[in-house]
Amino acid sequence: MSAAGPGARRGAASGATDRVTDASTHGSTGDEALLARAASLDAADPLAGCRDAFVPAGQGEHAVVAYLDGNSLGRPLRATADRLDTLVRHGWGTRLIRSWDEEWMALPTRLGDRLGEVVLGAAPGQCVVGDSTTVLLYKLLRAGVADALERGRTDIVLDTENFPTDRYVAAGVAAETGATLRWIEPEPARGVTPDDVAAVVGERTGVVLLSQVAYKSAWLADLPAITRVVHDAGGLVLWDLCHSAGAVRVDLDAHEVDLAVGCSYKFLNGGPGAPAFAYVARRHQGRLRQPIQGWMGHAEPFVMGPDYRAGEGMRGFISGTPPVLGMVGIEDTVDLIEAVGLDAVREKGRALGAFVVEAVDDVLADRGVRVVSPREDERRGNHVTIAHPRSRELCARLWGEHIVPDFREPDGIRLGLAPLSTSYTEVARALVRIDQLLAQDSTAS
Ligand SMILES: *Cc1c(COP(=O)(O)O)cnc(C)c1O
């Protein structure tokens, strides 16, 4: 058994429990009940075994007690460590430049097809892996807006709660093309609804850019209904799937989505800076022109001719040399999701979220902690954001104790729940520690 095996994990776990118990100032039975409930949920969890597929997060006193940030940076799979090693020694080290012909030229579309099939509900030939989410957003939004402007449709519809890069890219495209930004202002704890969209779309609507799962609140938008509303108004919809891919069902083809982009380093565990994916529905591929015409998107890149001619299908949405080292790890998570089934992944995410909402009500509500994510499971993605005036300081203390959620301005703590790697016990330990820290501070003051 390697040091990374279950024995090591057990050691880390009991160390963490000691720390939690020692620091307790009030020996809350609520906390103990929560940890016990978490242990029984873990014992009954059909995906519990998936945790062993991940690289262990440290050992002994440095072991991570609870990792609740898999929605920002997913943990690496052991298979990815092996795959990267093989890539460096064999594909790169031995096959050298021949690997471009043997594997790498096809990688962006081959991996795109795998993602499409297993995670996104997209038939082959509509997805590609390549640039960052920001750059792919620009490419697809710019392509969609150019197409819309030709039909006299001048508006880009978006919402004030979307991730900064989405808003900034849209503002840049509007400045570049003369398009108009039309803003939806959802309540922060909620998100965009079909009615919100219906209220702003019309004959001017070009492209509607929204996130399926809101990065702050975790609001899970009604993608099928919103897509229909946009189509009824004659517009195109561009879905940002950063917080959905590998966590919730998307079913792009079934819902006739036009365009989509998403991250691979969050729930897809591709690694820091792993490139994003883009989806362009086949019916739009011939018509839409992406703006970064590079040699790798050319129909015949190695002819190196005088003029640009877009490659067939999704190849035409590639710009430069694919980031091979960064993208190979995505496939390991796709394999794992395929093995356990996306529905099981969603079910675990939903159950983890419900566990957090209930636990906050039971244990933390009396300390002034509120759930600011949707309380209904069907409208919540895979994190739960809680709010307390002292969240910033709490987060800093938790990080010091190897409990890792993230802080979001102004007073939010996001508890990211990665179905393949997060246990109920991890979540319970974090909540118990928050309870203890707030109890200590109130006795001290
Ligand atoms: C994480 C995230 C991004 C990140 O974009 P990068 O180009 O990878 O930095 C963009 N949009 C949303 C909604 C995100 O959650």
Side-chain angles (χ1 to χ4, degrees):
M1 180 58 61
S2 72
R9 284 211 332 282
R10 205 156 30 239
S14 61
T17 310
D18 291 348
R19 198 146 62 210
V20 165
T21 318
D22 291 348
S24 172
T25 54
H26 63 151
S28 157
T29 51
D31 290 351
E32 276 154 35
L34 184 64
L35 288 164
R37 206 165 105 62
S40 70
L41 287 167
D42 280 326
D45 172 15
L47 297 191
C50 294
R51 285 166 58 76
D52 292 332
F54 287 85
V55 173
Q59 290 180 35
E61 63 178 307
H62 300 293
V64 169
V65 174
Y67 187 61
L68 301 173
D69 232 340
N71 57 335
S72 260
L73 178 66
R75 288 176 55 189
L77 285 164
R78 292 171 192 259
T80 300
D82 296 340
R83 191 189 288 272
L84 285 170
D85 187 71
T86 304
L87 170 58
V88 171
R89 292 177 201 285
H90 179 75
W92 179 12
T94 306
R95 295 309 295 161
L96 290 158
I97 202 161
R98 294 170 290 184
S99 285
W100 278 111
D101 291 339
E102 291 165 0
E103 295 180 62
W104 298 338
M105 282 300 280
L107 191 60
T109 48
R110 189 181 68 71
L111 208 49
D113 285 349
R114 288 276 291 144
L115 268 174
E117 180 197 351
V118 176
V119 173
L120 304 173
Q126 303 176 100
C127 297
V128 70
V129 177
D131 311 293
S132 68
T133 298
T134 300
V135 171
L136 287 178
L137 264 172
Y138 171 72
K139 286 162 75 168
L140 296 199
L141 184 62
R142 183 70 180 71
V145 166
D147 178 70
L149 286 171
E150 282 174 21
R151 292 180 288 130
R153 291 176 168 269
T154 51
D155 288 358
I156 301 171
V157 174
L158 70 170
D159 73 288
T160 49
E161 289 296 305
N162 207 343
F163 190 82
T165 226
D166 301 61
R167 293 181 277 113
Y168 303 162
V169 164
V173 169
E176 190 187 343
T177 59
T180 306
L181 296 180
R182 191 143 320 274
W183 292 95
I184 294 169
E185 294 183 41
E187 291 167 35
R190 207 170 46 74
V192 178
T193 64
D195 286 345
D196 293 337
V197 177
V200 295
V201 294
E203 58 191 22
R204 297 254 180 83
T205 302
V207 183
V208 177
L209 165 63
L210 298 170
S211 285
Q212 186 186 16
V213 174
Y215 82 106
K216 271 199 281 190
S217 70
W219 171 261
L220 174 57
D222 187 342
L223 177 147
I226 291 175
T227 300
R228 276 196 301 275
V229 168
V230 175
H231 287 171
D232 288 347
L236 295 177
V237 67
L238 166 49
W239 284 103
D240 184 322
L241 307 175
C242 282
H243 282 270
S244 353
V248 302
R249 291 210 71 92
V250 188
D251 297 324
L252 293 170
D253 286 351
H255 302 308
E256 298 181 7
V257 167
D258 302 295
L259 306 166
V261 297
C263 269
S264 70
Y265 53 78
K266 294 174 179 170
F267 294 108
L268 294 173
N269 310 312
F277 60 84
Y279 164 90
V280 179
R282 191 181 296 283
R283 62 187 178 281
H284 297 309
Q285 286 176 12
R287 199 177 74 252
L288 296 185
R289 309 278 307 197
Q290 62 95 355
I292 307 180
Q293 302 188 157
W295 74 296
M296 274 282 172
H298 193 281
E300 294 178 292
F302 294 100
V303 170
M304 305 192 164
D307 298 314
Y308 181 78
R309 186 157 51 82
E312 277 277 299
M314 293 310 290
R315 285 223 73 87
F317 288 86
I318 296 174
S319 294
T321 303
V324 173
L325 279 176
M327 74 167 77
V328 294
I330 302 166
E331 189 150 20
D332 296 307
T333 295
V334 173
D335 289 347
L336 185 56
I337 292 174
E338 186 171 48
V340 301
L342 188 57
D343 288 333
V345 172
R346 171 60 180 147
E347 191 43 47
K348 167 92 180 278
R350 201 197 311 257
L352 280 166
F355 177 70
V356 173
V357 170
E358 204 182 308
V360 171
D361 287 350
D362 284 354
V363 179
L364 295 178
D366 288 348
R367 307 230 185 262
V369 177
R370 320 187 311 283
V371 171
V372 291
S373 289
R375 302 182 70 89
E376 325 90 275
D377 296 350
E378 316 72 57
R379 288 272 73 88
R380 189 180 57 238
N382 278 35
H383 61 274
V384 177
T385 304
I386 58 177
H388 188 277
R390 299 174 62 181
S391 286
R392 185 192 301 273
E393 168 211 329
L394 278 176
C395 249
R397 289 177 73 168
L398 292 170
W399 276 44
E401 298 178 15
H402 307 293
I403 294 173
V404 189
D406 70 15
F407 172 74
R408 278 293 177 267
E409 294 283 354
D411 61 355
I413 296 179
R414 267 194 337 184
L415 305 169
L417 309 166
L420 297 170
S421 61
T422 307
S423 69
Y424 294 91
T425 299
E426 276 181 284
V427 175
R429 285 199 189 118
L431 296 175
V432 165
R433 195 65 191 121
I434 291 170
D435 182 37
Q436 291 170 345
L437 289 169
L438 289 172
Q440 268 176 358
D441 293 346
S442 65
T443 29
S445 60

